[in-house]
Amino acid sequence: MTTQHTDLTTAGDGPAPTTAGRPPLPLNADPHTSRRLGRLLTGAGAVLSFAATMLPWTWTAEFPGDLTIAFYPAGLQLLTLAAALLTAALLLASAGVTGLRWLTPGGKHSALLLMTLANLGVTWYTAGAIATELGGLVNFEPGMWIGVAGTLLAVIGALALPTDLPPGADGGTPAAGPWQRLRHAFKAPAPGSPAPLPGWAEILIICASCAIGLYAFAYGIEAEDGPPFIGFLVMAAFAAPALGKAGLFRRLSALTARHRGVTLAAAFAAALLFPVTQSNEAYTNIAVSVLIFATVALGLNMVVGLAGILDLGYVAFLGVGAYTAALVSGAETSSIGLHVPFWAAVLIGAAVALVFGLVIGFPSLRLHGDYLAIVTLGFGEIFRISVQNLDGDSGPNVTNGPNGIPNIPDLEIFGFNFGDEHTLLGFELGRFANYYLLMLLFTALVVTVFRRSDNSRIGRAWIAIREDETAARAMGVNAFRLKLMAFALGATLAGMAGTVLAHVEFSVNPESYKFVHTAPPNSAFLLIAVILGGMGTVSGPLIGAALLYLIPAKLQFMADYQLLLFGIALILLMRFRPEGLIADRRKQLEFHETGQLDIPAPATAGLGKTEA
Amino acid sequence: MTTTPTTDSAPAPRSGTGGAVLEASGVTMRFGGLTAVRDVDLTVRAGEIVGLIGPNGAGKTTFFNCLTGLYIPTEGTVRYKGTVLPHRSHLVTQAGIARTFQNIRLFANMTVLENVLVGRHTRTHEGLLSALVRGPGFRRAERDSEQRAMELLDFTGLAAKRDHLARNLPYGEQRKLEIARALASEPGLLLLDEPTAGMTAIETTATRELVLAIREQGTAVLVIEHDMRFIFNLCDRVAVLVQGQKLIEGTPETVQNDDRVIAAYLGTPFDGEPGEAEAAEVRAAEQTGTAGTDTTQGKAD
């Protein structure tokens, strides 16, 4: 790390962009001097914060993660360490150091600024958490102070670097006030087309990315509740946009678009390996719930994202599947008392959900837009209330009413009992790991169904209906039939996921299938997962669902504020990234009219003509 | 409705047999108390380009919607190649009538190629199952569809923009894409609702060439238009719709010289007929003016 300074000073005037704009915080009137000072400061900050992680931050091990040992970064210190290293790497890359330039094909200083902010966020959050939990600044060891100062220094340095885009380059007015200049500093150009890599290298990059993704997910799920997890969130919230600004995600998505099959296989393999990385059953429990939730969200995405049917009662189909499986799987309280093998339970659950989908869809899909949304919301609630009332008092006893159906036995397929621990290739796989692997097959199935139907005659017709139903019908699309197909297919997939859910959770209960509730799965959360992740994409709902499940599960102590926080998060998302975290190619173009050569011509007088 | 235009469509050659592609007889459309279209007959024969003109609010688009199944006509029947058309938009397209819209209605967030592929919907039959299984039949059908779509994009001159979003095309090309999308359903009759609205003179000429080329390929065309020069240069026959009723139908010359048409556009002349001096003045003004309004065109030609 000590060589960094020499690097900085020698490469200071390297092939840095000359068109860049004025920095938000110039340290010197001369832009060259300001840039050099900025790099120096950022580098010094990175080194300091790196050094800080080698020192103890507090005196007692009471603070989660034990930050007391010198030369042994732990817990939140690890995050600061990672942020410091990434800051250094981005700094060197933006200075044009050979061998690192691939890190910043897009924005350079904007990415660096965000990364220094990630560093600052994590370190200062830790400082704040130590001060509040242990009671005062007196609990800081010198290392903490070094970290606080170092990260601040790095941010100041990054602010002194020129912006990536010249003022007004993005079509806006040249930045005038400091606030506008600051906002301008976060703007980054799109990366150019990459130099061609050999095929094996591209595949290797995809595999490595999947491994990193798995590691980040496993780290997040393992992070202790409370400060360590919040620190992880803070880090992710800044570091992910930083890498996005640097253009790495776009490069990656270009690669994955070229190697679809490889990407899917690598992602599947990474997901398959997840239980192996876990030793604690509680975390695999969360993981299997995430997987079920994500699968159902993906099914909903087919209905909402492709066919444009706003279904606010989707969770009812999950409930139909779960209840059906519970009734036919030999639970003692089941009113049917049947015990069929699992494959039959899946088929029955899917078939019953399909029938429900057709029965509900047939009348309600004649409506459009808001009316349809309200009707589906109504049907969703009707399902829950009916299930509650079919208890033998107010109706025939089918579902056991509010008590639900408890004690659903574990699955047993070919003598493989899902409730027992199994040792596979030396790895211990507990109950939830078994179900996780089973559920993964269903997820793969839903992903396949989604991808294949999207890119086909049927999928195009769905999207056409979403875009303009009248025009679609005029092009020969039987809109009602196709919408019913999408609705029923979505219901079937949710029903299938429900059959697994019933076994994983031991019991089914009407209260789990509300429209809105503080914890997933419920219809509102499913829809949020789709919108948060990105409508019409495969990975979007999966990531959205993972975040949406993981965050409440890890932040139990904030349960009272969860819905409020979600509201705020959603508003921010809609303001800054309306297309969702993962942008569909179409949505990306829809919301950001850049990247295409021809911008639509302004509507001409012909449109104003009156109807003949 | 009280001006009682007489409805003798005398010069129009009556048919009902042979090469008739479209036969609309007695089509009436009432919205509550308002009769938008009253007892309109119209025949389009194979290989013909027929124009439908009329002042704003004459019921042209309503008539179009009756033909294409978007509206169910209160009375009357529409036959396509001898069979009565169902009142369902997608079945009409399936039967062989494709249309464009007055206000462009592309699938804005789909690419140019995808738009045309949606137009192929009725001519392909791969269902959900075959899409999920992806057998050789599915791949072949997809390939054929794409090939046919690319031919159409070549035909309309949009091949280079196949991967652009429809919404990002310039206005004139959006109109062309709408035509390409309609042609993708392999129609026997193409209905164009104001294809040149809002276009420049050059684009209008290009559209005329395109419509003529479509006719060359054996598709009959029925076109609504306000641009009289476009209509009279293009069409074999022109029908005039005024206040929901067909006023006259005939060759462009017949229609241009019909006093009732002029009256419908300009109103009837008042008692004191304009003298020679005024007429000369109007003529002079028309000659100096480049592209006059519809009505003066009709009169000047």
Side-chain angles (χ1 to χ4, degrees):
Chain A
M1 292 314 287
T2 44
T3 55
Q4 216 181 49
H5 279 288
T6 50
D7 268 340
L8 281 174
T9 40
T10 50
D13 299 314
T18 48
T19 51
R22 195 162 156 242
L25 184 73
L27 292 174
N28 191 299
D30 175 36
H32 270 279
T33 320
S34 173
R35 186 166 68 204
R36 196 172 300 177
L37 275 173
R39 281 185 181 155
L40 213 62
L41 273 182
T42 316
V47 170
L48 275 180
S49 51
F50 177 82
T53 59
M54 295 298 156
L55 298 170
W57 282 7
T58 182
W59 60 275
T60 167
E62 268 176 43
F63 188 78
D66 191 3
L67 312 179
T68 57
I69 309 167
F71 298 103
Y72 185 77
L76 285 161
Q77 284 177 324
L78 279 176
L79 290 173
T80 301
L81 177 68
L85 290 178
L86 279 169
T87 306
L90 285 176
L91 176 66
L92 295 179
S94 69
V97 172
T98 322
L100 279 176
R101 257 178 271 176
W102 61 271
L103 263 175
T104 54
K108 293 175 173 51
H109 294 154
S110 52
L112 183 58
L113 178 57
L114 274 164
M115 196 49 88
T116 57
L117 283 175
N119 201 359
L120 180 89
V122 169
T123 313
W124 285 41
Y125 169 73
T126 313
I130 291 176
T132 45
E133 290 215 359
L134 300 180
L137 302 181
V138 71
N139 297 296
F140 287 6
E141 290 283 324
M144 187 76 259
W145 289 113
I146 296 175
V148 166
T151 50
L152 181 64
L153 220 55
V155 171
I156 293 173
L159 282 173
L161 295 170
T163 57
D164 280 331
L165 291 173
D170 53 337
T173 48
W179 171 242
Q180 277 162 306
R181 285 224 305 277
L182 183 64
R183 281 184 54 177
H184 191 69
F186 286 110
K187 288 185 178 140
S193 51
L197 283 171
W200 59 266
E202 297 191 336
I203 291 170
L204 212 61
I205 292 174
I206 291 173
C207 294
S209 311
C210 284
I212 294 173
L214 170 66
Y215 181 78
F217 184 73
Y219 185 91
I221 216 169
E222 276 175 37
E224 282 176 63
D225 298 6
F229 185 73
I230 297 180
F232 174 76
L233 280 188
V234 171
M235 171 82 177
F238 284 105
L243 298 180
K245 291 286 178 196
L248 289 179
F249 288 150
R250 289 221 197 166
R251 282 277 163 92
L252 188 63
S253 70
L255 281 187
T256 55
R258 221 173 309 152
H259 302 279
R260 277 269 167 235
V262 175
T263 310
L264 282 173
F268 185 72
L272 210 56
L273 285 177
F274 174 77
V276 177
T277 67
Q278 298 298 313
S279 48
N280 191 332
E281 272 283 271
Y283 300 143
T284 33
N285 184 8
I286 293 179
V288 69
S289 303
V290 166
L291 208 53
I292 293 174
F293 183 46
T295 308
V296 181
L298 190 57
L300 178 63
N301 193 21
M302 204 174 313
V303 180
V304 177
L306 293 186
I309 304 164
L310 186 54
D311 186 350
L312 296 181
Y314 192 67
V315 82
F317 298 123
L318 181 72
V320 168
Y323 262 97
T324 313
L327 286 174
V328 299
S329 292
E332 280 167 28
T333 46
S334 159
S335 55
I336 298 180
L338 212 61
H339 194 171
V340 299
F342 179 62
W343 61 267
V346 170
L347 288 184
I348 295 171
V352 173
L354 171 70
V355 169
F356 268 77
L358 290 174
V359 167
I360 293 175
F362 196 76
S364 51
L365 285 174
R366 302 190 184 271
L367 300 172
H368 296 266
D370 306 351
Y371 306 102
L372 175 62
I374 294 297
V375 167
T376 53
L377 172 67
F379 274 117
E381 287 296 285
I382 288 172
F383 166 76
R384 181 176 66 84
I385 294 165
S386 316
V387 164
Q388 216 154 27
N389 287 337
L390 292 176
D391 59 353
D393 284 339
S394 34
N397 186 10
V398 182
T399 61
N400 230 2
N403 297 326
I405 303 173
N407 296 330
I408 300 167
D410 272 312
L411 286 179
E412 194 164 329
I413 302 178
F414 302 125
F416 182 94
N417 191 313
F418 277 67
D420 298 342
E421 274 199 9
H422 294 270
T423 309
L424 196 74
L425 304 172
F427 293 108
E428 286 278 311
L429 293 180
R431 176 176 185 271
F432 290 110
N434 296 333
Y435 281 112
Y436 175 89
L437 294 175
L438 175 71
M439 194 58 216
L440 197 59
L441 292 181
F442 284 89
T443 311
L445 176 75
V446 176
V447 168
T448 312
V449 168
F450 185 92
R451 286 194 58 234
R452 294 201 158 174
S453 55
D454 178 16
N455 185 19
S456 75
R457 170 174 172 267
I458 300 294
R460 281 191 298 269
W462 282 340
I463 299 170
I465 292 169
R466 186 190 72 196
E467 291 287 313
D468 186 337
E469 190 170 331
T470 307
R473 282 194 288 139
M475 287 303 115
V477 175
N478 188 343
F480 177 72
R481 191 159 158 254
L482 275 158
K483 282 201 290 186
L484 193 59
M485 195 191 282
F487 199 78
L489 180 63
T492 313
L493 295 177
M496 242 176 344
T499 55
V500 182
L501 178 75
H503 287 285
V504 173
E505 301 213 321
F506 292 116
S507 66
V508 287
N509 190 306
E511 286 309 300
S512 339
Y513 306 104
K514 279 183 172 172
F515 167 66
V516 68
H517 194 57
T518 49
N522 56 62
S523 295
F525 269 45
L526 283 169
L527 200 63
I528 294 173
V530 170
I531 292 167
L532 177 83
M535 264 200 257
T537 59
V538 174
S539 48
L542 299 183
I543 292 176
L547 286 178
L548 221 51
Y549 196 94
L550 211 52
I551 294 174
K554 301 295 285 186
L555 298 182
Q556 296 286 2
F557 64 97
M558 297 222 294
D560 291 347
Y561 304 102
Q562 241 168 48
L563 287 178
L564 178 71
L565 291 179
F566 274 131
I568 294 171
L570 272 184
I571 290 170
L572 290 177
L573 186 83
M574 287 300 112
R575 167 64 186 80
F576 292 107
R577 205 171 160 83
E579 69 272 36
L581 294 178
I582 307 290
D584 185 12
R585 177 180 50 95
R586 295 191 188 92
K587 285 271 184 270
Q588 179 96 50
L589 293 165
E590 184 179 342
F591 287 111
H592 305 278
E593 277 183 0
T594 51
Q596 286 226 340
L597 298 172
D598 42 9
I599 299 300
T604 22
L607 290 174
K609 279 192 180 175
T610 44
E611 189 92 338
Chain B
M1 294 291 137
T2 47
T3 47
T4 62
T6 46
T7 52
D8 52 328
S9 47
R14 282 265 172 211
S15 76
T17 53
V21 179
L22 177 84
E23 289 170 278
S25 51
V27 173
T28 301
M29 185 74 211
R30 287 196 197 90
F31 296 106
L34 175 80
T35 309
V37 175
R38 175 173 296 171
D39 197 25
V40 174
D41 298 331
L42 188 74
T43 305
V44 181
R45 282 182 288 276
E48 250 189 335
I49 300 179
V50 178
L52 188 60
I53 62 172
N56 284 333
K60 302 187 294 292
T61 296
T62 307
F63 182 60
F64 252 42
N65 288 344
C66 289
L67 295 186
T68 52
L70 280 182
Y71 293 160
I72 300 169
T74 323
E75 286 162 32
T77 53
V78 182
R79 281 194 171 78
Y80 175 75
K81 291 186 175 168
T83 48
V84 176
L85 282 176
H87 302 305
R88 303 280 295 282
S89 178
H90 65 272
L91 294 178
V92 170
T93 312
Q94 172 121 41
I97 298 184
R99 69 169 294 174
T100 67
F101 291 89
Q102 185 178 12
N103 316 320
I104 299 176
R105 299 188 82 152
L106 288 169
F107 307 122
N109 294 311
M110 296 175 89
T111 65
V112 167
L113 180 67
E114 285 171 330
N115 264 278
V116 181
L117 285 174
V118 172
R120 301 270 316 146
H121 191 85
T122 51
R123 301 298 167 234
T124 46
H125 299 96
E126 279 61 47
L128 186 62
L129 268 186
S130 83
L132 295 183
V133 177
R134 302 250 148 164
F138 176 83
R139 287 166 202 279
R140 200 180 323 117
E142 283 286 288
R143 215 170 34 240
D144 291 349
S145 270
E146 189 174 324
Q147 195 186 347
R148 177 83 188 109
M150 282 313 292
E151 281 169 20
L152 282 168
L153 288 180
D154 269 329
F155 177 65
T156 45
L158 293 171
K161 299 210 169 178
R162 55 174 275 172
D163 291 325
H164 287 234
L165 282 196
R167 67 206 300 274
N168 287 356
L169 291 185
Y171 184 77
E173 291 184 350
Q174 292 196 2
R175 286 262 181 225
K176 275 188 192 168
L177 177 56
E178 234 198 343
I179 293 176
R181 186 181 67 177
L183 286 176
S185 67
E186 294 167 13
L189 173 68
L190 180 63
L191 307 185
L192 300 175
D193 198 345
E194 298 201 23
T196 71
M199 280 189 172
T200 62
I202 298 166
E203 285 172 328
T204 304
T205 316
T207 306
R208 180 169 169 268
E209 302 292 321
L210 183 63
V211 175
L212 288 174
I214 290 168
R215 190 247 296 268
E216 284 304 305
Q217 299 196 337
T219 305
V221 180
L222 176 60
V223 51
I224 292 181
E225 192 46 77
H226 276 299
D227 185 336
M228 292 299 154
R229 180 172 290 164
F230 178 78
I231 279 283
F232 290 132
N233 281 337
L234 181 71
C235 297
D236 305 315
R237 248 172 340 117
V238 176
V240 184
L241 217 56
V242 174
Q243 296 195 350
Q245 289 177 306
K246 194 164 79 175
L247 190 63
I248 182 174
E249 183 183 337
T251 60
E253 292 76 32
T254 328
V255 172
Q256 273 169 42
N257 297 324
D258 194 284
D259 286 337
R260 287 170 301 172
V261 177
I262 299 166
Y265 272 95
L266 287 186
T268 38
F270 55 94
D271 287 340
E273 196 154 322
E276 259 316 299
E278 285 91 336
E281 200 177 299
V282 168
R283 244 175 261 122
E286 278 163 1
Q287 270 153 18
T288 51
T290 46
T293 65
D294 304 335
T295 46
T296 51
Q297 279 296 323
K299 202 173 169 188
D301 280 347

